[in-house]
Amino acid sequence: MRLLTMKLSDLNTGERGVIVKILGHGGFRKRIVEMGFIKGKVVEVLLNAPLKDPVKYKIMGYEVSLRHKEAEMIEVISIEEAREMETTSLPMDGSVSIDNDDTCMSALTYEQLRNAAMRKRRAINVALVGNPNCGKTTLFNFASGAHERVGNYSGVTVDAKVGKFCFEGYEFHLVDLPGTYSLSAYSPEEMYVRRQIIDKTPDVVINVIDASNIERNLYLTTQLVDMHLRMVCALNMYDEFEKRGDHLDVQTLGQLLGVPLIPTSFKTGMGVDLLFHIIINMYEGVDFVDKDGNLNPEVAHDIQMWHKDYERHHGGNHGEDFAHGEKPNRSVFRHIHLNHGKYIEDSISAVKRAIGENEDIRHRYSTRYLAIKLLEGDSHAEQLMATLPNGESIISIRDKEGRKIKEELNEDAETAIMNAKYAFINGALKEAEYSIGKQKDTYHTTHAIDTIITNKYLGFPIFFTIIYLMFHATFTLGEYPMDWIDCGIGALSDFVSDTMPDGPLKDLVCDGIIGGVGAVIVFLPQILILYAFISFMEDSGYMARAAFIMDKLMHKMGLHGKSFIPLIMGFGCNVPAVMATRTIESRKSRLITMLVLPFMSCSARIPIYVMIIGTFFAAQYRSAIMLSIYITGMVVAVVVSRILSKHVIKGEDMPFVMELPPYRFPTWQATARHTWEKGKQYLRKMGGVILVASVIVWALGYFPHNDNVDKEQQLEESYIGKIGHAIEPVFAPQGFNWKLGVGIISGAGAKEIVASTIGVLYSASDNVQEGDDFVHSQLRSKMEADGITPLTAYCFLLFVLLYFPCIATIAAIKSETGSWKWALFTAAYTTTLAWVVSALVKGVLS
């Protein structure tokens, strides 16, 4: 049975529960703990008023009342749930042993109740927060094994990704949040991170800091400190930091920030065990430290008992550890308020007092954090204040304090606060003796490479050369394993044909399943090679440079420079590319990017391209033909985005601001893992949507069945033949026969189905000789017999490139725009454009 999370507010009068954890921000948790609501303590509901406000509880021998909203922030385990956990005999992982003689009794001992609560407490929700390219997703992959995509450019994490893993008796639930430079309301990812932290209330936040750019990364850290979170900082890429000869007193900087700072390298695993060890220390102890630094003795005992089992893994007595003695070691875990200077601090206090008059808001927000955001003119904070009874008064006080800051410091409050934070960061780094080494660092190499890669004369030729080489390798290197797979499929088809008796089942297996799925799966090697190239370019940092050199072109298209990254991602799959547009601040650019994304040839189209190009064009021209298709998509995207920007979608452009990370040579293991992840997705499609579609196409071509005619005539008289002939006039200007028309329609669900449909329709022909190279010579001979010429084949490729994106992409556009209008508009205009372009090319070149 799945045990649901229960809150103290869920208990009825007379019921008992055991406290598991206190939710909310640090100030609220500290106040509740000081009232006696400590993890593992039994609490009983004495009086649950009809209006449920307040509620009287009994805990530790005395009575205390809480408001209903406060009780909602206390997670408990009920007696029934504790009894169920006892009877299932869950492992204790080092907790105090229990008396199993009482597990079947209706009344559980206090020790049993407490142990059940402490077992449930051993699930820690952790949010990963940091700047783009700091290594959050690398940590997420390293710890959870989720193998999420890691791209060395801004915006690769476009949504929260969730994973979990077990460590030292605890289960960690990791959430990888989008990379962000701050917690302002400037961009969608910034707001998304804020809402996730506030609404989801993680138990601990890991702030990942890039050691190569500490000063900039610490700005986000100071904002997280304002939120009064349980937080640990991971100083990532510390191996590169030391290699450059940089120096930093990590312990001192941690003390100044009030958070533990752990040197790590997520690529090698350096410091990761210690990082999560410290998180457990903090999670279990930080709320139980009094103002004098004393740790609750009972809590200290629990931590020390756990620590004895695991400290040997980390070298024993490390300075950051929480479990040595009854006081936090060197007070590194004591939360502090970063000082912004007298005038700003006075204004923060004034606004904070006004916000603090609202008890209901204090359990979710740090009032100090809200006060700072209001002084910065944050629109989200202002909207929140509008919901409060004294909201107008708070805004009035904020305006008054903002004017005072302007008078005293001669700058607006937002600028003054930002400058104060950077002043604190500079002072803290000086005190921590931060210095940059004289060794040749990563950026020296990066700058040298950039003088060539981003050169105004060489940048574009290099980009297109790389793309051409990628396609050339896709065809030349992929041809050999493709032939092997093709031979294997042919042998399998021969075996099935020879061993199974004639009938519908044999035709289904040979023509439907093997013919349909086999026609697509032979292209797996090409897809793996293509993704290996893309993965290497993303991980190395080249994709960010591509966005940089393309910014001017993007601007002329009416797009933002950041639009280039979703467009590049569209070559993999249009769906995550549509979601990646969230990183574009300008609504105009974001919407136009979504509308032209379907012109980027996603990997689902690759089987069609490889099938048709490999069939109709000589080997020496295949790479050029493939490149021409991709370039056509880009050119059409340029023209369409320009038209949309000028005549359809209005709005202001936003400035182009994007980090250019240092070049890093990706490990072959990482590239291979990312490539195989894509390969697995492709194979899953083979066993899912492609298999189902192939069977449906076969069935439509098999029924109504007539044994007295050959297979070609059978197809003509079948349901699919009738459908195809009905739509054939629509595609007459392009020269498409009814089989190609059916393939186009089938591709609405997923583009790979176009290739499998052609495979099913032509594998059912009597002219196909078993064992021959179906993909090339046999397919060409049959298609030429149907009147398909190389020009018609190329027009077919253009149609596939431009027409209706898959249903999943249409749904993603609807989700991101919040309207079916733009989704249906995309479906309609892309299909119309595909018909016009392919018809024009056919008419002009015929």
Side-chain angles (χ1 to χ4, degrees):
M1 176 180 176
R2 183 177 180 271
L3 302 176
L4 300 177
T5 300
M6 175 173 280
K7 304 299 175 58
L8 182 58
S9 57
D10 297 327
L11 296 178
N12 298 316
T13 301
E15 291 184 339
R16 292 191 303 161
V18 188
I19 297 173
V20 175
K21 65 176 71 171
I22 311 297
L23 308 177
H25 71 89
F28 170 78
R29 291 197 309 268
K30 292 284 286 184
R31 186 172 68 88
I32 295 297
V33 167
E34 289 168 356
M35 295 173 67
F37 290 85
I38 299 175
K39 59 185 180 181
K41 296 298 182 182
V42 178
V43 58
E44 180 181 356
V45 183
L46 295 180
L47 181 60
N48 204 323
L51 299 179
K52 295 188 176 182
D53 246 343
V55 181
K56 186 187 292 185
Y57 299 97
K58 182 178 181 180
I59 186 170
M60 297 174 63
Y62 73 98
E63 299 177 2
V64 62
S65 65
L66 289 180
R67 292 183 180 274
H68 184 70
K69 286 193 175 181
E70 292 174 329
E72 283 181 338
M73 302 300 290
I74 301 176
E75 184 179 332
V76 300
I77 181 174
S78 67
I79 304 300
E80 291 74 15
E81 187 177 344
R83 185 181 299 114
E84 183 170 349
M85 291 179 69
E86 289 296 299
T87 56
T88 54
S89 300
L90 295 178
M92 290 301 297
D93 288 333
S95 296
V96 180
S97 62
I98 62 173
D99 182 4
N100 288 316
D101 293 338
D102 294 332
T103 56
C104 295
M105 297 173 56
S106 58
L108 298 177
T109 65
Y110 168 76
E111 192 67 20
Q112 288 173 317
L113 290 173
R114 184 178 185 281
N115 286 334
M118 296 304 282
R119 281 201 300 270
K120 187 171 182 181
R121 180 179 171 83
R122 291 196 167 196
I124 307 178
N125 300 313
V126 177
L128 305 180
V129 181
N131 287 192
N133 306 307
C134 67
K136 293 181 295 76
T137 307
T138 305
L139 171 61
F140 181 82
N141 291 341
F142 184 91
S144 69
H147 303 310
E148 286 296 338
R149 190 71 194 88
V150 183
N152 196 8
Y153 53 83
S154 172
V156 69
T157 306
V158 297
D159 209 340
K161 295 166 177 82
V162 181
K164 64 181 180 180
F165 76 105
C166 295
F167 178 78
E168 296 190 350
Y170 286 78
E171 183 176 83
F172 286 85
H173 298 261
L174 297 180
V175 180
D176 180 20
L177 296 175
T180 179
Y181 294 106
S182 72
L183 296 176
S184 67
Y186 179 67
S187 68
E189 66 265 26
E190 291 171 348
M191 284 303 306
Y192 185 85
V193 172
R194 274 173 58 172
R195 287 179 177 138
Q196 284 287 313
I197 292 174
I198 294 169
D199 296 341
K200 302 298 182 182
T201 320
D203 296 316
V204 180
V205 168
I206 298 179
N207 175 212
V208 182
I209 297 172
D210 180 359
S212 67
N213 210 330
I214 295 178
E215 183 175 4
R216 190 203 64 204
N217 279 241
L218 284 179
Y219 183 77
L220 175 61
T221 305
T222 62
Q223 293 185 315
L224 292 169
V225 169
D226 291 337
M227 297 184 80
H228 201 171
L229 303 163
R230 279 185 293 211
M231 182 169 70
V232 178
C233 291
L235 189 57
N236 192 32
M237 307 178 204
Y238 198 75
D239 51 347
E240 297 180 11
F241 179 89
E242 292 181 314
K243 187 178 180 180
R244 287 192 302 270
D246 296 358
H247 174 75
L248 177 70
D249 186 337
V250 175
Q251 184 71 28
T252 298
L253 183 60
Q255 287 179 326
L256 294 171
L257 292 168
V259 295
L261 191 63
I262 313 299
T264 59
S265 174
F266 299 149
K267 283 188 177 180
T268 64
M270 165 194 165
V272 174
D273 281 0
L274 177 59
L275 174 68
F276 285 101
H277 187 78
I278 296 299
I279 288 173
I280 296 172
N281 276 275
M282 169 169 283
Y283 170 72
E284 293 290 8
V286 74
D287 292 329
F288 305 96
V289 181
D290 64 21
K291 57 183 175 55
D292 297 320
N294 297 309
L295 183 61
N296 180 289
E298 184 178 348
V299 174
H301 179 266
D302 286 340
I303 297 176
Q304 288 167 346
M305 291 300 99
W306 159 79
H307 188 267
K308 285 181 180 178
D309 292 333
Y310 297 106
E311 66 177 336
R312 64 184 179 276
H313 299 163
H314 315 292
N317 186 22
H318 40 76
E320 301 87 351
D321 208 302
F322 204 102
H324 290 92
E326 295 186 354
K327 293 186 178 182
N329 193 286
R330 297 175 67 181
S331 300
V332 73
F333 296 113
R334 296 287 300 280
H335 175 75
I336 63 173
H337 292 323
L338 303 182
N339 195 311
H340 295 79
K342 180 181 183 307
Y343 299 115
I344 297 177
E345 286 296 328
D346 288 346
S347 294
I348 292 173
S349 298
V351 179
K352 177 183 173 182
R353 282 193 297 271
I355 299 173
E357 296 176 9
N358 301 274
E359 292 188 7
D360 291 344
I361 205 169
R362 293 203 302 247
H363 68 284
R364 289 186 61 209
Y365 295 89
S366 161
T367 52
R368 176 179 172 84
Y369 162 76
L370 284 179
I372 293 172
K373 284 296 162 191
L374 282 175
L375 287 169
E376 290 177 339
D378 185 272
S379 59
H380 181 263
E382 291 175 348
Q383 292 170 9
L384 180 63
M385 294 302 105
T387 65
L388 302 179
N390 65 334
E392 292 185 4
S393 174
I394 294 173
I395 296 300
S396 176
I397 294 172
R398 186 280 307 268
D399 292 342
K400 176 183 175 183
E401 296 301 325
R403 288 192 293 271
K404 287 172 60 176
I405 292 175
K406 178 73 173 178
E407 293 171 0
E408 297 290 346
L409 302 179
N410 198 30
E411 56 189 2
D412 63 84
E414 182 180 13
T415 303
I417 291 172
M418 180 179 66
N419 289 339
K421 288 185 182 298
Y422 273 113
F424 171 85
I425 292 169
N426 290 330
L429 290 175
K430 285 182 180 179
E431 192 165 340
E433 301 176 354
Y434 173 63
S435 62
I436 299 175
K438 296 181 180 179
Q439 299 292 327
K440 184 179 180 181
D441 66 15
T442 308
Y443 279 99
H444 281 93
T445 304
T446 294
H447 294 157
I449 297 174
D450 274 345
T451 57
I452 301 173
I453 295 294
T454 62
N455 184 277
K456 64 179 180 179
Y457 300 112
L458 299 177
F460 284 101
I462 289 174
F463 173 74
F464 287 110
T465 300
I466 290 173
I467 298 298
Y468 176 82
L469 291 175
M470 179 175 69
F471 293 141
H472 185 70
T474 297
F475 278 104
T476 55
L477 298 180
E479 185 174 356
Y480 300 102
M482 174 184 170
D483 289 341
W484 300 336
I485 295 174
D486 188 37
C487 290
I489 292 171
L492 177 62
S493 181
D494 289 342
F495 173 77
V496 172
S497 180
D498 293 340
T499 56
M500 290 186 68
D502 291 338
L505 182 59
K506 175 181 176 179
D507 292 339
L508 168 62
V509 174
C510 291
D511 298 333
I513 297 176
I514 297 178
V517 176
V520 181
I521 202 171
V522 294
F523 305 113
L524 177 63
Q526 280 93 340
I527 287 177
L528 293 179
I529 293 170
L530 189 66
Y531 267 112
F533 271 89
I534 293 175
S535 173
F536 185 87
M537 289 190 290
E538 288 177 342
D539 292 354
S540 66
Y542 177 72
M543 283 300 190
R545 271 67 188 184
F548 174 75
I549 64 176
M550 295 292 287
D551 175 58
K552 189 170 184 179
L553 177 59
M554 293 290 106
H555 186 72
K556 289 184 179 296
M557 292 168 59
L559 296 176
H560 192 280
K562 282 188 177 181
S563 297
F564 186 71
I565 290 174
L567 292 176
I568 288 295
M569 292 179 67
F571 290 125
C573 179
N574 288 167
V575 175
V578 169
M579 297 172 64
T581 60
R582 296 175 186 175
T583 62
I584 304 171
E585 294 86 358
S586 167
R587 180 187 177 277
K588 173 186 175 183
S589 293
R590 185 179 178 217
L591 186 55
I592 296 175
T593 304
M594 279 188 275
L595 296 181
V596 301
L597 260 171
F599 301 133
M600 302 298 106
S601 292
C602 65
S603 61
R605 295 181 174 100
I606 294 174
I608 312 167
Y609 297 163
V610 175
M611 172 185 277
I612 301 300
I613 294 173
T615 298
F616 281 95
F617 300 96
Q620 63 267 33
Y621 302 119
R622 290 173 184 171
S623 299
I625 294 294
M626 185 80 146
L627 183 59
S628 73
I629 294 295
Y630 277 75
I631 291 177
T632 299
M634 297 178 195
V635 171
V636 171
V638 170
V639 174
V640 171
S641 61
R642 187 67 177 169
I643 293 172
L644 292 174
S645 176
K646 286 288 186 181
H647 305 291
V648 180
I649 302 171
K650 304 298 182 181
E652 295 182 1
D653 292 331
M654 300 293 287
F656 175 72
V657 180
M658 190 184 73
E659 179 184 5
L660 294 179
Y663 288 103
R664 292 187 172 90
F665 197 88
T667 64
W668 293 113
Q669 296 91 331
T671 301
R673 187 178 70 241
H674 299 153
T675 302
W676 178 237
E677 288 297 320
K678 293 299 182 183
K680 285 197 296 185
Q681 292 177 18
Y682 186 72
L683 291 175
R684 287 192 201 105
K685 274 191 173 183
M686 297 306 100
V689 62
I690 304 302
L691 176 60
V692 173
S694 298
V695 172
I696 292 173
V697 171
W698 170 85
L700 290 174
Y702 190 83
F703 298 104
H705 191 67
N706 186 350
D707 291 325
N708 299 321
V709 298
D710 60 22
K711 289 187 176 181
E712 191 68 28
Q713 190 174 348
Q714 165 63 37
L715 275 176
E716 296 278 349
E717 297 175 357
S718 67
Y719 294 125
I720 202 167
K722 293 175 182 178
I723 294 172
H725 286 296
I727 63 174
E728 193 171 19
V730 176
F731 300 109
Q734 290 86 356
F736 301 163
N737 67 356
W738 66 269
K739 294 177 184 177
L740 295 185
V742 169
I744 287 171
I745 293 176
S746 67
K751 289 296 174 284
E752 298 98 333
I753 300 176
V754 176
S756 67
T757 299
I758 293 174
V760 171
L761 294 178
Y762 282 102
S763 69
S765 170
D766 289 325
N767 294 340
V768 176
Q769 301 172 14
E770 300 294 345
D772 285 351
D773 185 356
F774 167 71
V775 175
H776 296 303
S777 61
Q778 291 300 308
L779 181 58
R780 175 166 183 164
S781 64
K782 185 55 189 170
M783 294 184 77
E784 284 181 340
D786 278 354
I788 307 299
T789 65
L791 176 58
T792 303
Y794 190 78
C795 292
F796 181 72
L797 292 176
L798 291 176
F799 199 99
V800 170
L801 164 70
L802 302 174
Y803 90 112
F804 183 93
C806 67
I807 292 175
T809 301
I810 294 297
I813 293 174
K814 186 270 174 186
S815 176
E816 293 300 315
T817 61
S819 170
W820 277 110
K821 177 182 73 172
W822 293 113
L824 296 177
F825 172 75
T826 303
Y829 99 86
T830 54
T831 304
T832 302
L833 185 63
W835 190 95
V836 171
V837 170
S838 57
L840 284 175
V841 172
K842 176 68 173 180
V844 171
L845 298 181
S846 293

